[in-house]
Structures are given as structure tokens and as C-alpha cells.
Amino acid sequence: MTGSENAGTLEDRFESAIFRFSASLSDLREFSELVESLIKTHKLKELEKALTRYEGLGDALCHFDSDLKTDISSIQNACTDESMLPNASLKFEVGENDKGKKVLRAAGSKEELKEFDKSIGTILKTENSVQHLHRSSLISLVSLVESFLSQLLHMFFQKHPSALNAKEKQFTFEELSNFSSLYDARSYLVSWKIENLLRGSYEDWIEYFRTQVKLELSVTTRHQERLVENFQRRNLFVHNGGVVNKIYLSKVAKSITKPEMLNKKLGVSKDYLFSAIDRFESSFLQLAFELWAKCEKNSKKRPSLIVHSTYDALQNKRWHVATELAEIVEKDKAASEINILMAKVNSWIARKKFDDKDKIFEEVNGFDVSAKDDLFKLAKHCLLDEIESGLSLAKRLEKAKQLSVSNLNEWPLFEDLRATPQMKAWLAQIKSKTEKRKTKAASKPNSEANTNSDSATAKAVKTPRPRKARSPNPENV
């Protein structure tokens, strides 16, 4: 174990690992979306040039590849008649080859066919490029999970070396000769144990944590069949060119596979990729938080971090992830009443996006806030779509500085409220007042500004870089 791995308290290391894992998953989502957008933008430009240049190409492509119909229609509708005048003479037809597969045939001069082949190649290969992007992203996703799991195991064995079960490993005389201390031998044993665990299947991992470490992993259990399929599909891409083999069919649940899939090539759609990222996020964050609890049962930082992770999922519209993370908070024995209440509210916010509203309204109606902080009374009004009562209380809490402007602008709880003319006018009024204060402060005499420059600079140096906005919390007021 390196010195950097030992840096900071165990609590700090768990927090840092969780933040990095979540940030890496967000980066993977953003990277996939950005590159896919660039690929498709390039395709549309090439398609527009081709439709402009070649008469009859649009109809031929619609028959050849029905997925292009929408793009072709939108391009043709956006262009004027003059801009669509063709300036090259090729004839197109769609037929079938000897294997019954559709083919697009073009007839014309050698020079024109060469130019057309280059243009149409870019258009038709777009889907292959997007597929390659998604396949690579799935492989990267599994690598991120393996790296995260390795970090968690190092921290766990550091705290609980007895969990290593040294009887599993016998050292050779040569190995013992290379150790300068008992610490070196233990570090080697930790690395050996982790390497062996990671060599196993996903099912082996979960079995180890359930039986040996005694973790509950309710979220992980819920997603186990799909997570196994995600791992096995990744293995197909790495080892078998994405072609379904008997190993895949034997490992993946029968409810997901069909016998006729054998020898068929699998792809990865954007929905498949993003659903997989969501499942890995909530499942492995639960594993991390439960493992952390095994190491530090009474950590107060852990429940607050889970609430923060839930809020981050809400802000990014990952509703199912938010709901499952909120569930983890409620089961954490170190969670305060405020942590649990915030998790409950955030769970209801998320569930309103995909669950039965009548069921949620019934649950929220039964939420007794009579002895609770005003923030929870406000939450109840908003969850029940009581716009006027919610807006009135929000104004009072903002005036009393119990609710920040960033909360009002960002918390998904206020999404419906923000759409009302009343709240739009109120937020505009707050913004105007803030801008006036800034203008007034900026217009102060230079001498007064210079007097405070040294202290302001010192304060700026000492102020840590802000993290993402945290969930509104009465404990922070």
C-alpha cells in the first residue's frame, strides 16, 4: 500500500473515493453525449450536402435505411427550393444482393461515383461510429467499477485485517525472503486477496460481500440480473467481438435472453448505456456506504454524503438513482432524523416523475410536519402541489434567510412552483435587488476598497474551492 493510499483519515478516504467514482460516472455520461452529438452533427452536414447535390437520393435512402427518414425530412423541409437544386447526375435504386440484404446502387460517371461513395460512406457509417462509442463506454464503465471496488477493499482490509483469512494463502520461502517486515507481508496478502476477488465474476463479488462481510445490498440485489448481463455483454465485446456465445447465455438470466440470440452480434444503445451507468452508480454506492459503515459505524459524515449524492442525482434528473440512494439513507444507523427526513422528501420528489401520483399524495398527506422544521412544511406544500401556500411560506423562509436563492433556483422540489408567474416575478425581483447591491458596492470610493484589499485577498486564499450545491438542510441554516 502506497503512502498516498494512507493519506488522510479512513473517513476522508471513503469520502474522496465516492466523490471520484461519482464524478467519473458523470464524466462518462457527458463524454458519451458530447461525442455522439458531434458524430451525428457531422452526419447531418454530409447528408444535407448529398441531398443537395444528388437528385432522387432522398427517396432512395428512405427505402434503403428507414432510420434516415426523419433526418431527411427535416433537412428537406428546412431547405428552400433553390438550395435543393441538384448539380450532379446519378441514378439510384434500392435492391437486394444474393443474401437478401438491401443494397443501394448508383449509376453515373467514374468521378461522380467516387465522390458519392466517399460522401455516402460517412453517412451510413455513423451508426457504426455511435455503436463503437457506446461499446467503448460500457467497457470503460466496468473498468471504473473494478477500480472503485479495489479502492474500497483496500480501505476495508486496512480496518479489518482479520477479514483477509490468511489461511487461504501460503507463502513460499522465496516470497518470505523478499519481505522486510510483517507490514510488507500483510500488504502483499491484501493485494493478492483483492486481485483474486476481482478475477472472479460479478456474482462472486456480491456473494463475498453478502456472506463474508455481511452486507445487506438491497439495491444491488434488485439489479443483480441486469448487472450480470451488463458484465457479460462487456465480456463479449472484449473477448468475442460482441457475438453472443454459450457462456453469455448460461450466465445471463433466461428472462433477459433467448436461445435464438446465439451467434448474433449485440449492440449498445444510448438508453442501454445510461441505464447501466445508473444501475452501477446506485448499486456500488450502496456497497461503498455499507462497507464504510462496517469500518466506522457512527460516522456522521456518511449519511450527509448520501443525502448530497441523492440531491445531485435529483438535479441531474436521475430519478431512479435518487430514489435508491434515499433508501440507503433511511437504513443507515448513523443517520440523524434530519438526514432521514431529507431523504424521504427527495425520494418523493423523484418518485413523482415515474411513480403513481395518487400513491405518493397519500404518503405525503400522512407525513406529520406539525413539530418539524418549516422547511419540511414547505416541502409538504410543494409535494402536494399546494402552490399558493408553498409560495407564501417560501417567501417567509427566504426573508428569514432559512432558504437561499440558489435553493429556490435549483432544488427540484420547486420545479412546478418556478413555472408559475408569481414565482417568476418574485425571483426576478430578488435578482434585481442583488444586482443593485453589487452595483452600489462596486461604486464605493477606491480608498475604502483599498483598505479592505489585504483582508479580502487573505480571505480568498483561505476559502476552499466550493463543491456542488448541497441539498437544503435545516442543519446548515
Side-chain angles (χ1 to χ4, degrees):
M1 207 174 291
T2 65
S4 61
E5 286 175 325
N6 281 318
T9 65
L10 190 60
E11 188 174 52
D12 290 338
R13 290 175 58 208
F14 265 107
E15 181 183 39
S16 177
I18 288 167
F19 265 121
R20 287 199 304 272
F21 178 62
S22 296
S24 295
L25 295 183
S26 294
D27 290 344
L28 185 60
R29 288 185 185 97
E30 290 174 12
F31 171 78
S32 297
E33 284 195 313
L34 174 61
V35 176
E36 182 177 356
S37 175
L38 291 172
I39 292 171
K40 290 185 174 179
T41 298
H42 182 57
K43 179 195 80 169
L44 289 174
K45 286 182 179 177
E46 290 297 318
L47 183 58
E48 183 176 348
K49 286 194 292 184
L51 292 177
T52 303
R53 184 167 174 75
Y54 304 107
E55 185 177 9
L57 176 61
D59 291 338
L61 284 176
C62 286
H63 286 94
F64 176 71
D65 187 347
S66 57
D67 291 338
L68 290 171
K69 282 183 179 180
T70 303
D71 291 335
I72 290 170
S73 178
S74 62
I75 290 171
Q76 289 175 335
N77 291 335
C79 294
T80 63
D81 292 339
E82 290 76 13
S83 67
M84 290 297 291
L85 289 175
N87 57 13
S89 56
L90 288 179
K91 300 296 181 182
F92 303 100
E93 66 172 0
V94 177
E96 291 185 355
N97 60 17
D98 296 339
K99 297 180 180 180
K101 187 177 180 180
K102 280 185 179 180
V103 291
L104 176 66
R105 297 189 179 95
S109 69
K110 186 176 180 180
E111 291 75 17
E112 286 180 327
L113 286 173
K114 186 177 180 181
E115 185 179 343
F116 172 73
D117 186 58
K118 182 180 178 182
S119 175
I120 202 68
T122 300
I123 297 166
L124 297 180
K125 287 178 182 176
T126 302
E127 185 56 33
N128 288 336
S129 299
V130 172
Q131 274 295 310
H132 179 72
L133 167 69
H134 291 161
R135 287 195 297 269
S136 300
S137 295
L138 179 64
I139 293 168
S140 296
L141 171 62
V142 174
S143 297
L144 285 172
V145 170
E146 289 174 339
S147 175
F148 183 49
L149 186 60
S150 175
Q151 293 175 63
L152 296 176
L153 285 166
H154 272 102
M155 291 184 282
F156 174 69
F157 288 134
Q158 179 191 354
K159 183 71 175 182
H160 297 288
S162 59
L164 285 167
N165 192 3
K167 293 179 182 179
E168 295 179 12
K169 170 68 177 173
Q170 291 184 346
F171 291 109
T172 65
F173 179 77
E174 184 181 356
E175 286 172 334
L176 287 171
S177 301
N178 291 327
F179 299 139
S180 59
S181 65
L182 182 61
Y183 175 81
D184 285 347
R186 193 177 75 175
S187 296
Y188 179 90
L189 184 59
V190 168
S191 298
W192 175 86
K193 178 71 173 179
I194 293 172
E195 188 176 330
N196 273 272
L197 278 171
L198 291 177
R199 275 205 203 104
S201 65
Y202 171 77
E203 299 95 313
D204 294 333
W205 300 354
I206 301 308
E207 180 66 15
Y208 173 79
F209 285 113
R210 284 205 192 102
T211 59
Q212 301 300 313
V213 190
K214 308 298 182 186
L215 302 186
E216 182 182 343
L217 302 180
S218 57
V219 174
T220 307
T221 301
R222 192 178 305 146
H223 293 309
Q224 181 150 341
E225 286 188 353
R226 288 288 173 184
L227 288 170
V228 168
E229 195 283 329
N230 295 149
F231 269 96
Q232 291 303 321
R233 189 173 296 212
R234 171 264 187 189
N235 289 344
L236 287 181
F237 293 133
V238 173
H239 304 297
N240 206 42
V243 177
V244 174
N245 55 22
K246 290 183 178 179
I247 296 173
Y248 174 88
L249 292 177
S250 68
K251 296 278 189 182
V252 179
K254 297 295 183 284
S255 58
I256 299 175
T257 62
K258 295 177 182 178
E260 53 266 32
M261 291 173 66
L262 184 64
N263 297 324
K264 298 288 179 63
K265 192 169 185 177
L266 295 180
V268 178
S269 68
K270 181 178 178 179
D271 286 344
Y272 177 94
L273 175 64
F274 278 54
S275 294
I277 296 174
D278 286 352
R279 279 191 291 271
F280 277 112
E281 180 174 25
S282 52
S283 298
F284 278 82
L285 283 182
Q286 181 181 45
L287 192 155
F289 287 125
E290 288 192 15
L291 207 59
W292 184 351
K294 283 286 181 180
C295 295
E296 295 183 316
K297 184 178 179 180
N298 298 316
S299 169
K300 298 300 180 187
K301 184 180 287 188
R302 184 180 59 254
S304 296
L305 181 56
I306 311 175
V307 172
H308 169 71
S309 299
T310 307
Y311 184 63
D312 183 63
L314 275 182
Q315 284 193 308
N316 289 285
K317 304 185 186 302
R318 299 197 299 276
W319 312 120
H320 289 278
V321 174
T323 303
E324 289 173 338
L325 291 177
E327 178 185 319
I328 297 168
V329 180
E330 295 182 39
K331 293 182 178 181
D332 194 310
K333 293 180 180 179
S336 66
E337 182 189 15
I338 293 295
N339 293 146
I340 293 171
L341 290 174
M342 287 304 305
K344 192 182 292 290
V345 168
N346 286 331
S347 177
W348 279 324
I349 295 170
R351 286 174 55 205
K352 278 184 75 174
K353 300 297 181 179
F354 65 85
D355 209 344
D356 180 7
K357 272 197 173 186
D358 290 337
K359 180 183 176 182
I360 294 166
F361 282 166
E362 184 179 348
E363 292 177 19
V364 176
N365 268 316
F367 181 35
D368 184 6
V369 294
S370 56
K372 302 289 189 294
D373 188 274
D374 283 343
L375 185 64
F376 297 111
K377 294 173 184 174
L378 172 60
K380 185 170 182 177
H381 286 312
C382 293
L383 287 165
L384 293 174
D385 296 335
E386 296 171 351
I387 301 298
E388 289 185 12
S389 301
L391 186 58
S392 175
L393 183 52
K395 287 182 176 181
R396 184 160 62 82
L397 293 180
E398 189 276 332
K399 189 175 182 180
K401 302 196 181 302
Q402 290 179 269
L403 201 61
S404 70
V405 177
S406 62
N407 292 157
L408 292 168
N409 282 309
E410 296 171 7
W411 198 8
L413 176 69
F414 302 127
E415 185 176 336
D416 293 335
L417 207 57
R418 283 193 291 267
T420 63
Q422 301 97 309
M423 187 160 181
K424 285 180 180 178
W426 178 40
L427 290 174
Q429 188 180 31
I430 292 174
K431 184 178 179 182
S432 176
K433 286 181 179 178
T434 303
E435 289 174 349
K436 285 180 181 178
R437 282 198 297 269
K438 286 181 179 178
T439 302
K440 187 176 180 180
S443 64
K444 285 183 178 181
N446 289 335
S447 57
E448 184 178 343
N450 292 335
T451 304
N452 297 320
S453 61
D454 292 339
S455 60
T457 303
K459 185 178 179 182
V461 170
K462 292 178 182 178
T463 302
R465 182 183 175 186
R467 288 175 175 163
K468 292 180 181 178
R470 290 190 177 270
S471 173
N473 191 331
E475 291 179 339
N476 298 332
V477 175

